[in-house]
Amino acid sequence: MATRLVQINMKARDDSALGAFWAQVLGWGISSEGPGVTNLEPEGFVYPDPVAVCIDLIVSSEPKTVKNRVHVDLATTSAAHKAELVTRLKDLGATPADIGQGDVPWTVMADPEGNEFCVLEPRPRYRDTGPIAAVVVDCVDPRAMARFWGEATDWTVHEVTDRAATLRSAKGVGPYLEFIRTPDAKTVWNRVHLDVRPYPGDDLEAEAARLRTLGATVIDLDVPWKVLADPEGNEFCLLTPS
């Protein structure tokens, strides 16, 4: 048994407006499964496929109060492409953001609702990921996070150090999942979190039990899927098998 990282879930004051922003940034299509929900995925995408990690925007009245512990890094192919992308992002409503990064070769920005993201300088590793180079999670212990997420999902662990850990779909496509060591402590419910899904024919309860043996904890909410937290308290959703 194993899960697959299928999407990130992002809370939004206005899911339609924020969804329109990210759809333009990524060049993806927009749909909705119901009021207060905006779904983004590449045009022609057949869900679920590891070639992309989709984005679900869910309306929420809770204000953003701290830096998100989960964000996306955008890939670029050249210095000119990076400069053009940063300019286009500003035109769409993004703003420069200072999270204490100092003098770095990438550009840190915030979307119209303040969610941080990075525009990376060209890096060979990300040349075939699509527009999202990586989904990045702040953490205290990258090695421990790599152990948990490497066993929780069928993604392959590529690199582990005391500073960072990197995973990617075993099929070698789509964005990376990266855990970056940070001194910041988790203090509130994550406004951006990961959604994972078991394979068809797997049992939701059995998979939830397996994740608990790996170190996950259950968050008791009245929903048809399972809400859990990883060993560092980052919430994630275990969706129904599909």
Side-chain angles (χ1 to χ4, degrees):
M1 298 177 69
T3 66
R4 299 154 289 165
L5 175 58
V6 292
Q7 62 214 28
I8 62 172
N9 181 300
M10 182 183 298
K11 300 296 185 287
R13 294 189 301 274
D14 186 335
D15 62 287
S16 296
L18 194 59
F21 168 84
W22 280 105
Q24 291 182 78
V25 171
L26 302 173
W28 287 6
I30 302 177
S31 62
S32 177
E33 61 192 71
V37 181
T38 298
N39 311 105
L40 307 181
E41 61 183 38
E43 298 286 356
F45 180 77
V46 179
Y47 179 93
D49 186 320
V51 72
V53 172
C54 302
I55 299 176
D56 279 1
L57 297 108
I58 310 298
V59 72
S60 172
S61 61
E62 295 181 7
K64 182 180 186 296
T65 58
V66 299
K67 173 183 172 290
N68 290 339
R69 294 187 72 78
V70 181
H71 72 267
V72 296
D73 285 352
L74 302 182
T76 62
T77 57
S78 66
H81 179 211
K82 178 176 180 288
E84 291 167 2
L85 180 55
V86 168
T87 297
R88 186 165 69 88
L89 288 162
K90 291 178 180 177
D91 291 341
L92 292 172
T95 54
D98 185 352
I99 56 172
Q101 68 270 20
D103 184 16
V104 293
W106 58 89
T107 300
V108 182
M109 306 190 78
D111 71 17
E113 292 201 5
N115 298 296
E116 303 85 2
F117 65 96
C118 297
V119 181
L120 301 182
E121 76 284 4
R123 301 184 193 180
R125 168 180 279 179
Y126 305 127
R127 65 182 181 274
D128 63 348
T129 59
I132 297 178
V135 179
V136 183
V137 183
D138 292 350
C139 71
V140 174
D141 187 344
R143 293 185 184 277
M145 293 294 269
R147 283 194 298 272
F148 173 81
W149 284 99
E151 294 184 46
T153 69
D154 63 357
W155 283 34
T156 301
V157 178
H158 281 255
E159 180 182 5
V160 181
T161 69
D162 290 337
R163 190 193 69 83
T166 302
L167 295 80
R168 196 184 192 192
S169 165
K171 295 185 178 179
V173 297
Y176 288 81
L177 175 61
E178 299 180 350
F179 296 94
I180 306 298
R181 186 174 182 177
T182 174
D184 301 328
K186 183 179 185 298
T187 57
V188 299
W189 185 284
N190 288 346
R191 287 183 66 81
V192 183
H193 70 253
L194 308 180
D195 283 351
V196 299
R197 189 181 292 275
Y199 279 88
D202 284 350
D203 181 80
L204 183 64
E205 294 291 345
E207 183 59 24
R210 187 184 73 88
L211 293 172
R212 289 197 300 271
T213 66
L214 296 176
T217 54
V218 174
I219 299 173
D220 188 15
L221 295 177
D222 185 19
V223 292
W225 55 90
K226 299 292 184 182
V227 182
L228 301 99
D230 71 16
E232 291 200 3
N234 296 297
E235 302 86 8
F236 67 96
C237 290
L238 175 66
L239 306 179
T240 54
S242 174

